């Protein structure tokens, strides 16, 4: 089972703190990159056959490329408010620029459709409370049961209380 464990920092590359892709993980369809960017630092992303979300963990970002632009207000901390985000379809090249510095998650999945990029406001994000007591959790549905249409990508955050 040790081949399923990726040690902290073992997949880092430049400003990318985490890079889990099908090649290093040994699977086919999905991946996750988390990048830390200083103010005005830019990350270029070519989506190839995958579709992505640009999901601020903390800080604000501008996403642009191929005639698309989204100004993401983001959030002060992942433990705080729900964030706005951008959907980027396959076969695109974009840049993600940190407006204030911070961290951004880039979940992705192998796509089967050609779709349009989309800015997704935080007001469209469905938040659910599940369970009770020490089994309670908050599920923030970014690419699940929301107006954003993806080919295959599903992405949510699950926040659980301490204890």
């Amino acid at each position: 089972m040790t081949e399923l464990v990726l040690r902290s920092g073992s997949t880092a590359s430049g400003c990318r703190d985490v890079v889990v892709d099908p090649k290093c993980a040994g699977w086919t369809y999905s991946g996750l990159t988390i990048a830390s960017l200083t103010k005005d630092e830019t990350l270029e992303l070519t989506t190839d056959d995958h579709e992505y979300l640009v999901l601020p963990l903390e800080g604000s970002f501008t996403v642009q490329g191929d005639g698309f632009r989204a100004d993401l207000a983001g959030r002060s901390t992942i433990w705080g408010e729900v964030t706005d985000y951008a959907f980027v379809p396959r076969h695109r090249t974009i840049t993600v620029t940190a407006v204030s510095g911070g961290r951004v998650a880039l979940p992705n999945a192998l796509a089967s459709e050609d779709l349009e990029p989309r800015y997704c406001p935080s007001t469209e994000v469905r938040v659910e409370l599940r369970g009770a007591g020490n089994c309670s959790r908050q599920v923030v549905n970014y690419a699940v049961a929301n107006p954003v249409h993806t080919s295959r990508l599903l992405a949510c955050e699950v926040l659980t209380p301490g204890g």
Side-chain angles (χ1 to χ4, degrees), residues 11-128:
T11 64
S13 176
C15 68
R16 293 169 171 92
D17 302 323
V18 174
V19 180
V20 179
D21 59 20
K23 183 179 177 183
C24 81
W27 56 54
T28 305
Y29 296 102
S30 62
L32 174 66
T33 297
I34 298 176
S36 294
L37 302 174
T38 59
K39 184 179 186 325
D40 298 323
E41 187 175 7
T42 297
L43 172 69
E44 186 170 293
L45 174 68
T46 301
T47 63
D48 296 322
D49 291 330
H50 287 73
E51 58 191 356
Y52 283 76
L53 294 187
V54 179
L55 183 65
L57 299 176
E58 60 184 346
S60 54
F61 301 86
T62 299
V63 180
Q64 56 188 356
D66 295 337
F68 172 74
R69 181 184 171 105
D71 295 310
L72 305 179
R75 53 189 166 181
S76 58
T77 173
I78 192 170
W79 311 114
E81 57 278 351
V82 173
T83 186
D84 55 348
Y85 62 101
F87 168 74
V88 183
R90 69 180 180 178
H91 308 303
R92 302 287 178 129
T93 298
I94 61 160
T95 57
V96 178
T97 304
V99 174
S100 60
R103 296 179 73 209
V104 62
L106 303 161
N108 65 84
L110 187 62
S112 62
E113 296 178 68
D114 291 318
L115 301 170
E116 292 299 314
R118 185 177 189 279
Y119 167 75
C120 304
S122 61
T123 55
E124 290 182 357
V125 178
R126 194 174 53 128
V127 178
E128 301 174 289

